[in-house]
Amino acid sequence: MPAGKPTVPASPFNETEKLNCHMKKNVSAFKAFTKPFLPGSTVLAQLKCATQEVMPPTLKADILKKLFIVLLFPAFALKAFSQQVTIPVETSTNVLLLQTDKNNRLGIVYFGKKLAQKEEYVSVARQYKYRDGNAGIYNNAYTPSGTFNLSEPALQVTHADGNASLELNYVSHKAASIDANTTLTSIVLRDPVYAVEVTLFYKTWSKENVVEQWSVIKNNEQKAIMMEKYASANLYFIADHYYLTHYNGTWAHEMNPETDELTHGIKSIDTKLGTRANLYEPSAFMLSFDQPASEDQGNVLLGQLAWSGNFKLDFEVDSYNNLRLIAGINPYASEYQLTAGQSFQTPSLIYTFSQNGLGEASRNLHHWATKYRILDGQGSRLTLLNNWEATYFGFNEQKLVELFKGAKSLGVDMFLLDDGWFGNKHPRDADTAGLGDWQENVRKLPHGIGYLVKEAKAAGVKFGIWLEPEMVSPKSELYERHPEWVIRQPERPEIYFRNQLVLDLSNPEVQDFVYGILDTLFTRNPDLAFIKWDCNSLVYNANSAYLQKKGLPQSHLYVDYVNGLYKVLERLRAKYPSVPMMLCSGGGGRVDYGALKYFTEYWPSDNTDALERIYMQWEYSYFYPAIAGCNHVTDWSKAPLKFRTDVAMMGKMGYDIVVANLNEKDLTFSKQAVSNYKSLSDIIWHGDLYRLVNPREKPFASLMYVAENKSRAVMFNYLTRNRYMPSALPEPVRLKGLDPIKKYSIKEINLYPGTRSAVDDSKSYSGDFLMKIGINPSVDENRTSVVLELNEVK
């Protein structure tokens, strides 16, 4: 070789000449193939990039492998490169159908009932004739920002060089069977210019018709990128009309439904509260297609974001009258930096679709949640007596031990000690001090928690305790020692919610502290049977001393807080996998499937008025199974004790009363009710829920739980409006979910002493009769709640 001429590497540039000669007529096809895999825009630039050390080895190997195929098998490669890819994500009855277009962009071409012949999926997209310039944009499977797209994006990034464009092309996909019922489909997308990669995940449970969808964004660039928006899921629906049911509320007034027909533009549901994120609006929603779904009819999707922090759901009707859904972490004040080589996993969007109405859709979620998500969802739960409404902060050791006798007398399994047991320098005698100082108050509890655990055991009940480990009182030793652990703006006045502030769980030291609170309790008291985990405050003055010290953006705080919480719970469950824990947040301020993987149950609301609870529990029941919802009998309501008790039985029952204040009849009734509940709890917890009469449509409510083998059932009926009724309900209530061939006896239970049933229990009826004609529970102003037990007659 003549001196002075640059040395040409043997590979891959010597192969470039062969490639150019061999595929001179197919350069455009070659470019189309290589573009999704290489960061350059020309063949030569791409080949050069493939040899640079800065490229990740896995990406370089993938590129060279593809080039080798092109070189040796050009005809085969050309056909393969231009081939359309169709990806069906199926459950037992439904399919989400994805397909690449001529530009190798991945779109959603169909969502609904799956086809009998899979080979026909490839023909679906051809039946739609969208002919303006927006075609292939609205239905993108994960819509990027700054290039071809003019719609609301799912992913928006700024690269290290300041460029804010992004395109995502299909690379590969695979479907892996986890078990006979569960499949995980993953789809890799890449930007052809910048080294950003997105993997879409779709986890399906076939029998339950449930999909869990999330995304992983990876920065393969040499420097950090900034994500301005990073959604979990991007979906696309085609129907004539769309009806969104979402929920609003506040403390003691949760889960109030609103239904809107979606029109052109974007309807957004979001929260910016930080911790107690669901206080005003949860992420749970219903989406009906063509017409509002009823209990047993209509196409409907039930969904929620499994995330315990700020979220945003965007529902956009586009110019084709189709519906785009983008769901994920709220991008508000949450730009997130990804360093070189770093990946970010979004939370999951969980949803189920039914063509047979809300009842079937909710049972799908219940079956899935108890089997696959809620901790010990197929197990049992502890009935309990809580001291809160009996004592508030005003208790001592002797008073608590006396209350243990009431728990045993009722027949419940456990006594739960609520707020007020801790703090010495700043005793927790009110909600103004003590949070963070998790040592027993020696004045109230001179012998400590261990003594109470032993005394409860001696009384024949288990012992549980309340904690609020994420919070701190300004008047506390913890605040005095570690003000840098608190989320606060040091130059601004502190803002309190319930006289407290939020600890900075983005800080690993704070995570260790919170974990240590519970670990110490369990280590010192191994027989401790239950934790009620509360979270009352919101995030004001969002600022982290830890992030500032580490040189990280303050915009990480909202995300890193929730991930820090999850890290604590992961550690806790690794060491204490089976201890029951209640998820509470000043009521229903934090109820979601992101948190419920660590908890056995949740507290729906601090409002325990039985009439109000009928409406709340009704709405929660669309998304969560009965075993997860805690319902307590309290003195908040003026309703009769029987009414309060019957309502509490529709879930995980507990008491928050002074047992000693019950008269003889009340105590007799309550003991019998607890016994009845324990005999029926397996049906309530693990049976199928059928809503029969909606209290928002009629002046009474009726629902039932049916055992899996349909041999037993329990039916709850309530008068919900106190207007004059001249007689008992004039019409029977049709039952659901029974075996039409079987015969059933019907017996009224939970009768108050001295009263008689108006239901004839001497007769039996076929399931066919009960589902077509029904039974009249005889609810009226004198019988405001009626509980009926059904048993198969053999």
Side-chain angles (χ1 to χ4, degrees):
M1 181 177 294
K5 186 174 182 179
T7 301
V8 180
S11 178
F13 293 115
N14 63 337
E15 302 297 343
T16 305
E17 295 178 330
K18 297 178 184 179
L19 183 65
N20 287 337
C21 293
H22 204 58
M23 295 194 67
K24 196 170 185 180
K25 297 181 180 179
N26 297 317
V27 170
S28 61
F30 172 71
K31 287 183 178 180
F33 166 65
T34 56
K35 191 175 181 182
F37 298 93
L38 302 176
S41 59
T42 68
V43 175
L44 185 59
Q46 290 162 355
L47 289 170
K48 286 181 179 178
C49 189
T51 64
Q52 293 175 1
E53 292 299 324
V54 297
M55 175 172 285
T58 54
L59 182 56
K60 183 192 299 184
D62 188 36
I63 294 165
L64 295 177
K65 180 177 70 174
K66 303 301 184 185
L67 294 174
F68 180 74
I69 294 173
V70 171
L71 178 66
L72 296 184
F73 307 103
F76 169 80
L78 181 60
K79 181 179 179 181
F81 303 158
S82 60
Q83 189 173 17
Q84 192 175 54
V85 177
T86 302
I87 309 169
V89 178
E90 292 184 321
T91 63
S92 62
T93 63
N94 306 323
V95 66
L96 170 66
L97 186 63
L98 303 110
Q99 195 172 75
T100 56
D101 63 12
K102 62 182 180 181
N103 296 310
N104 207 33
R105 296 167 183 154
L106 186 67
I108 297 171
V109 297
Y110 175 71
F111 182 95
K113 193 170 184 179
K114 72 179 185 181
L115 301 184
Q117 299 182 42
K118 289 188 177 183
E119 62 271 15
E120 292 189 323
Y121 282 135
V122 297
S123 302
V124 171
R126 300 171 195 162
Q127 309 310 311
Y128 295 92
K129 308 296 183 182
Y130 300 126
R131 297 193 182 281
D132 66 43
N134 291 324
I137 297 177
Y138 289 147
N139 70 331
N140 198 273
Y142 198 71
T143 311
S145 175
T147 50
F148 66 88
N149 170 56
L150 300 176
S151 303
E152 184 68 24
L155 179 61
Q156 183 178 357
V157 303
T158 299
H159 303 282
D161 62 2
N163 189 290
S165 67
L166 185 70
E167 182 165 354
L168 295 173
N169 290 340
Y170 168 84
V171 175
S172 64
H173 76 279
K174 62 181 178 180
S177 294
I178 297 173
D179 55 43
N181 190 48
T182 313
T183 301
L184 180 62
T185 300
S186 57
I187 306 173
V188 179
L189 310 175
R190 289 198 192 120
D191 189 304
V193 175
Y194 288 89
V196 174
E197 178 180 290
V198 175
T199 305
L200 308 179
F201 290 92
Y202 304 84
K203 191 174 185 180
T204 58
W205 288 267
S206 181
K207 184 178 177 181
E208 292 78 19
N209 284 306
V210 169
V211 180
E212 182 178 16
Q213 182 175 342
W214 71 95
S215 307
V216 173
I217 301 113
K218 185 174 184 182
N219 176 20
N220 286 321
E221 297 184 31
Q222 294 184 59
K223 295 182 179 180
I225 65 172
M226 184 66 78
M227 300 188 299
E228 281 84 27
K229 186 176 183 180
Y230 34 98
S232 300
N234 195 161
L235 292 170
Y236 196 67
F237 309 102
I238 300 174
D240 293 331
H241 299 275
Y242 310 93
Y243 297 88
L244 173 66
T245 299
H246 56 104
Y247 295 87
N248 69 80
T250 185
W251 178 79
H253 194 52
E254 291 88 344
M255 295 299 284
N256 302 290
E258 292 183 15
T259 300
D260 307 308
E261 181 174 4
L262 297 173
T263 57
H264 293 94
I266 300 177
K267 169 83 171 182
S268 294
I269 307 298
D270 79 337
T271 180
K272 304 179 182 73
L273 305 182
T275 46
R276 197 173 165 184
N278 290 355
L279 176 62
Y280 302 128
E281 185 101 37
S283 68
F285 66 92
M286 305 174 184
L287 191 58
S288 299
F289 303 95
D290 298 322
Q291 60 186 2
S294 65
E295 193 66 25
D296 301 305
Q297 293 182 325
N299 297 323
V300 64
L301 182 144
L302 302 185
Q304 71 157 255
L305 192 72
W307 179 245
S308 305
N310 295 348
F311 63 82
K312 188 176 186 182
L313 312 174
D314 289 325
F315 300 86
E316 179 182 9
V317 178
D318 64 25
S319 60
Y320 301 144
N321 299 314
N322 299 333
L323 179 65
R324 306 176 71 238
L325 167 58
I326 297 177
I329 293 172
N330 196 332
Y332 165 77
S334 295
E335 297 86 359
Y336 206 90
Q337 179 179 280
L338 282 188
T339 57
Q342 186 180 3
S343 295
F344 181 93
Q345 180 172 324
T346 70
S348 300
L349 179 71
I350 295 168
Y351 54 93
T352 185
F353 176 72
S354 170
Q355 294 184 311
N356 300 304
L358 295 165
E360 181 181 86
S362 63
R363 288 188 290 276
N364 287 344
L365 276 179
H366 297 170
H367 295 160
W368 169 81
T370 53
K371 291 178 184 177
Y372 300 106
R373 182 50 58 105
I374 294 172
L375 188 67
D376 194 26
Q378 295 184 291
S380 60
R381 296 293 184 267
L382 298 170
T383 54
L384 61 84
L385 174 65
N386 192 354
N387 74 298
W388 180 243
E389 293 193 19
T391 67
Y392 294 97
F393 294 102
F395 58 82
N396 56 34
E397 206 169 67
Q398 182 179 357
K399 184 178 288 188
L400 293 177
V401 171
E402 285 298 314
L403 292 176
F404 295 165
K405 299 175 183 178
K408 179 62 176 177
S409 175
L410 272 181
V412 298
D413 304 307
M414 183 183 69
F415 179 86
L416 174 63
L417 174 60
D418 214 290
D419 196 357
W421 57 269
F422 49 89
N424 288 293
K425 180 180 178 181
H426 304 286
R428 185 71 167 175
D429 293 329
D431 65 6
T432 55
L435 279 177
D437 301 343
W438 299 103
Q439 305 86 32
E440 296 97 321
N441 180 281
V442 294
R443 174 175 51 84
K444 293 180 181 180
L445 307 177
H447 298 96
I449 296 298
Y451 172 78
L452 295 176
V453 174
K454 292 178 183 177
E455 287 298 306
K457 187 175 182 180
V461 293
K462 299 176 184 292
F463 184 86
I465 201 165
W466 176 96
L467 291 164
E468 194 172 6
E470 300 166 66
M471 303 295 157
V472 61
S473 299
K475 195 174 180 181
S476 67
E477 292 183 77
L478 178 64
Y479 184 89
E480 293 166 358
R481 291 194 307 267
H482 291 291
E484 78 281 4
W485 282 8
V486 180
I487 294 176
R488 57 195 286 269
Q489 294 279 0
E491 304 302 323
R492 297 187 183 277
E494 292 179 342
I495 302 173
Y496 306 128
F497 194 103
R498 201 180 180 241
N499 305 304
Q500 62 196 52
L501 295 164
V502 182
L503 292 174
D504 180 9
L505 276 171
S506 72
N507 186 340
E509 290 185 357
V510 177
Q511 295 171 25
D512 291 341
F513 171 77
V514 172
Y515 171 79
I517 296 167
L518 288 102
D519 187 44
T520 299
L521 271 173
F522 284 127
T523 300
R524 293 178 178 174
N525 309 286
D527 288 333
L528 190 64
F530 186 88
I531 295 293
K532 179 182 177 182
W533 183 305
D534 212 342
C535 169
N536 281 288
S537 188
L538 313 176
V539 172
Y540 295 102
N541 285 334
N543 183 75
S544 165
Y546 168 76
L547 293 176
Q548 183 174 357
K549 181 179 179 180
K550 291 294 183 180
L552 294 170
Q554 288 295 325
S555 59
H556 284 203
L557 178 57
Y558 285 124
V559 173
D560 287 354
Y561 181 93
V562 179
N563 284 330
L565 171 65
Y566 289 167
K567 287 177 183 178
V568 172
L569 293 169
E570 288 278 1
R571 290 175 64 188
L572 190 63
R573 282 311 180 190
K575 188 170 182 180
Y576 307 100
S578 58
V579 176
M581 293 206 312
M582 180 198 296
L583 177 63
C584 180
S585 185
R590 180 190 278 167
V591 184
D592 64 83
Y593 280 124
L596 278 171
K597 68 170 68 173
Y598 308 108
F599 291 84
T600 52
E601 54 222 66
Y602 69 91
W603 182 240
S605 177
D606 282 351
N607 186 343
T608 53
D609 182 291
L611 182 60
E612 293 296 325
R613 272 301 192 100
I614 289 173
Y615 291 89
M616 290 183 196
Q617 291 168 204
W618 189 278
E619 300 302 330
Y620 275 116
S621 77
Y622 288 111
F623 304 96
Y624 306 102
I627 192 172
C630 296
N631 311 323
H632 288 185
V633 180
T634 75
D635 292 327
W636 183 318
S637 172
K638 296 180 181 179
L641 177 63
K642 170 178 164 49
F643 190 95
R644 289 177 272 152
T645 303
D646 292 349
V647 171
M649 285 180 67
M650 298 188 299
K652 188 255 188 182
M653 187 169 75
Y655 286 83
D656 206 330
I657 59 175
V658 182
V659 178
N661 291 346
L662 297 176
N663 62 39
E664 183 179 353
K665 285 187 175 181
D666 283 350
L667 181 59
T668 299
F669 167 78
S670 297
K671 292 168 71 172
Q672 184 59 53
V674 171
S675 177
N676 290 338
Y677 176 73
K678 290 187 174 182
S679 72
L680 294 167
S681 59
D682 189 62
I683 303 172
I684 297 168
W685 296 341
H686 303 298
D688 285 328
L689 168 63
Y690 293 89
R691 301 174 202 85
L692 307 177
V693 181
N694 190 329
R696 298 185 188 278
E697 299 171 0
K698 295 285 184 71
F700 70 103
S702 182
L703 57 79
M704 64 187 295
Y705 298 91
V706 182
E708 184 179 5
N709 64 4
K710 302 184 184 299
S711 64
R712 300 182 72 199
V714 57
M715 178 185 181
F716 295 92
N717 307 274
Y718 308 97
L719 182 66
T720 55
R721 300 178 197 172
N722 291 325
R723 297 186 67 184
Y724 171 71
M725 296 182 68
S727 62
L729 296 173
E731 299 172 351
V733 177
R734 295 186 184 92
L735 278 59
K736 300 175 185 177
L738 302 175
D739 186 327
I741 298 175
K742 291 180 178 179
K743 298 212 83 170
Y744 297 90
S745 63
I746 300 177
K747 177 185 177 182
E748 183 173 356
I749 61 171
N750 283 12
L751 286 167
Y752 193 81
T755 64
R756 298 177 59 183
S757 175
V759 177
D760 186 355
D761 62 4
S762 66
K763 296 182 179 179
S764 59
Y765 304 89
S766 69
D768 181 63
F769 177 91
L770 292 171
M771 291 189 290
K772 291 178 179 176
I773 305 301
I775 189 80
N776 194 318
S778 299
V779 173
D780 59 30
E781 64 274 12
N782 297 312
R783 290 168 47 82
T784 55
S785 65
V786 175
V787 183
L788 301 177
E789 179 182 356
L790 285 75
N791 287 285
E792 179 185 359
V793 178
K794 297 183 179 179

